């Protein structure tokens, strides 16, 4: 099998923020960041890494006006090459927002940015755009649809489960070869091309003691003791002032994960609080739409980042 070779390879950059060495991949010259050429910052989903966006960046670079635009992708804490806090027993959404805020201010202190997040990252960026509306020029949410609503009476059992899991060491499966890691990626998403899966595997895992170990803190597997509070999320979404593009894979199985407890129709109702948003779909794409259809995705992104903004009352 021929190996995937990036058309536009990224450079590695690490900055200190919130007590952690936050790792980023950089395409282009950050010194070019301006009001005319804002930074595009990409953030990945749960159990993923910044390198996951390479295929999409290659396609976006070939869109008019994108040859040299500065682009960065962040490894969230505890994923990829950003370590988790020492002794972390689970991870909290406020920390993701805090890390994102620190990185945004470090990379583009003087100019609003374009921001894109996938899945968990899509949820984070949409909340962040409500908390820091002046920092975001355009927003893209790739399948960051949120979670089922919860009620306070669920809290006792959630805390009990969390306490029980704190007593249980968490582990991630290791693999005997890089091809084994690529096979895991293809099992997760059969639509990803084999050459892309093999290339991504070397970023998704590292060799350690003769085995290939996933670049993720096993503590990510523990349940979060805090409930997902829909009304708080909607209050943040309602404060967003920039244009928002939500993109779904038309063959996604995202909502099927919840067994009827959360539906696409419910998401559409929640999204009505955003003043300027629209939903677009990509055919022959599932949840990992930036792997499945990066070229089609790039066309949607380029159009969104240049479209006029609707006045927000």
């Amino acid at each position: 099998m021929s190996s995937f070779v990036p058309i536009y390879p990224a450079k590695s950059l690490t900055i200190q923020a919130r007590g952690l060495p936050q790792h980023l991949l950089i395409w282009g010259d950050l010194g070019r960041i301006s009001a005319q050429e804002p930074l595009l910052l990409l953030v990945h989903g749960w159990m993923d890494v910044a390198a996951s966006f390479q295929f999409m960046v290659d396609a976006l670079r070939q869109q008019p006006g994108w040859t040299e635009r500065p682009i960065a992708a962040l490894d969230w804490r505890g994923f990829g090459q950003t370590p988790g806090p020492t002794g972390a027993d689970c991870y909290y959404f406020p920390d993701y927002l805090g890390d994102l805020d620190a990185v945004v201010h470090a990379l583009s202190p003087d100019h609003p940015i374009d921001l894109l997040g996938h899945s968990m990252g899509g949820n984070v960026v949409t909340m962040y755009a409500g908390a820091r509306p002046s920092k975001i020029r355009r927003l893209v949410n790739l399948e960051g649809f949120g979670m089922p609503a919860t009620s306070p009476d669920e809290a006792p059992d959630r805390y009990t489960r969390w306490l029980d899991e704190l007593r249980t060491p968490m582990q991630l499966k290791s693999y005997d070869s890089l091809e084994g890691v690529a096979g895991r990626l293809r099992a997760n998403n059969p639509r990803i091309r084999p050459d892309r899966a093999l290339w991504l595997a070397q970023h998704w895992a590292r060799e350690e003691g003769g085995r290939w170990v996933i670049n993720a803190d096993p503590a990510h597997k523990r349940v979060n003791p805090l409930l997902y509070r829909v009304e708080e999320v909607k209050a943040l979404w309602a404060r967003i002032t920039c244009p928002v593009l939500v993109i779904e894979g038309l063959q996604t199985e995202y909502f099927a994960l919840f067994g009827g407890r959360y539906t696409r129709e419910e998401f559409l109702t929640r999204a009505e609080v955003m003043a300027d948003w629209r939903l677009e779909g990509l055919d022959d794409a599932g949840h990992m739409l930036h792997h499945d259809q990066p070229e089609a995705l790039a066309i949607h992104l380029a159009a969104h980042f240049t479209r006029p903004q609707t006045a927000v009352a």
Side-chain angles (χ1 to χ4, degrees), residues 258-274:
F258 303 113
R261 292 183 298 119
Y262 181 41
T263 64
R264 181 176 183 274
E265 290 69 28
E266 186 176 349
F267 165 74
L268 294 176
T269 299
R270 292 180 189 179
E272 289 176 356
V273 301
M274 292 187 285

Side-chain angles (χ1 to χ4, degrees), residues 117-309:
H118 172 249
S119 194
M120 181 191 82
N123 287 289
V124 175
V125 300
T126 312
M127 293 171 66
Y128 179 75
R132 293 281 198 210
S134 65
K135 294 297 294 182
I136 310 304
R137 192 190 74 101
R138 297 283 189 278
L139 183 70
V140 178
N141 178 329
L142 304 181
E143 294 233 344
F145 297 123
M147 303 287 287
T150 61
S151 60
D153 60 5
E154 297 177 51
D157 287 344
R158 179 73 69 87
Y159 274 106
T160 298
R161 179 182 169 189
W162 177 65
L163 290 171
D164 288 343
E165 289 187 0
L166 288 180
R167 299 168 61 88
T168 305
M170 292 290 166
Q171 294 181 333
L172 295 173
K173 183 179 178 180
S174 63
Y175 299 84
D176 60 3
S177 66
L178 194 60
E179 289 74 16
V181 178
R184 164 70 182 277
L185 288 168
R186 295 192 68 199
N188 291 349
N189 177 24
R191 286 184 174 86
I192 189 172
R193 283 177 12 192
D195 62 328
R196 288 175 174 170
L198 186 59
W199 179 87
L200 185 56
Q202 65 186 311
H203 299 275
W204 207 61
R206 67 188 183 278
E207 191 172 15
E208 193 174 278
R211 303 283 295 177
W212 285 86
V213 180
I214 304 302
N215 283 324
D217 184 348
H220 285 291
K221 294 181 64 177
R222 287 197 178 97
V223 67
N224 192 316
L226 302 180
L227 298 177
Y228 183 82
R229 296 188 282 261
V230 170
E231 294 307 316
E232 293 182 10
V233 172
K234 288 172 62 178
L236 284 164
W237 289 7
R239 290 186 57 193
I240 298 173
T241 57
C242 69
V244 180
L245 173 61
V246 180
I247 306 182
E248 63 179 338
L250 294 182
Q251 284 73 44
T252 186
E253 298 181 359
Y254 182 89
F255 293 103
L257 298 174
F258 303 113
R261 292 183 298 119
Y262 181 41
T263 64
R264 181 176 183 274
E265 290 69 28
E266 186 176 349
F267 165 74
L268 294 176
T269 299
R270 292 180 189 179
E272 289 176 356
V273 301
M274 292 187 285
D276 182 7
W277 83 284
R278 70 188 195 282
L279 175 68
E280 295 180 359
L282 294 184
D283 198 13
D284 195 19
H287 184 59
M288 304 299 287
L289 63 176
H290 54 310
H291 294 173
D292 302 342
Q293 295 293 338
E295 294 82 11
L297 176 58
I299 293 171
H300 286 280
L301 298 182
H304 176 67
F305 291 133
T306 57
R307 83 178 183 94
Q309 181 169 357

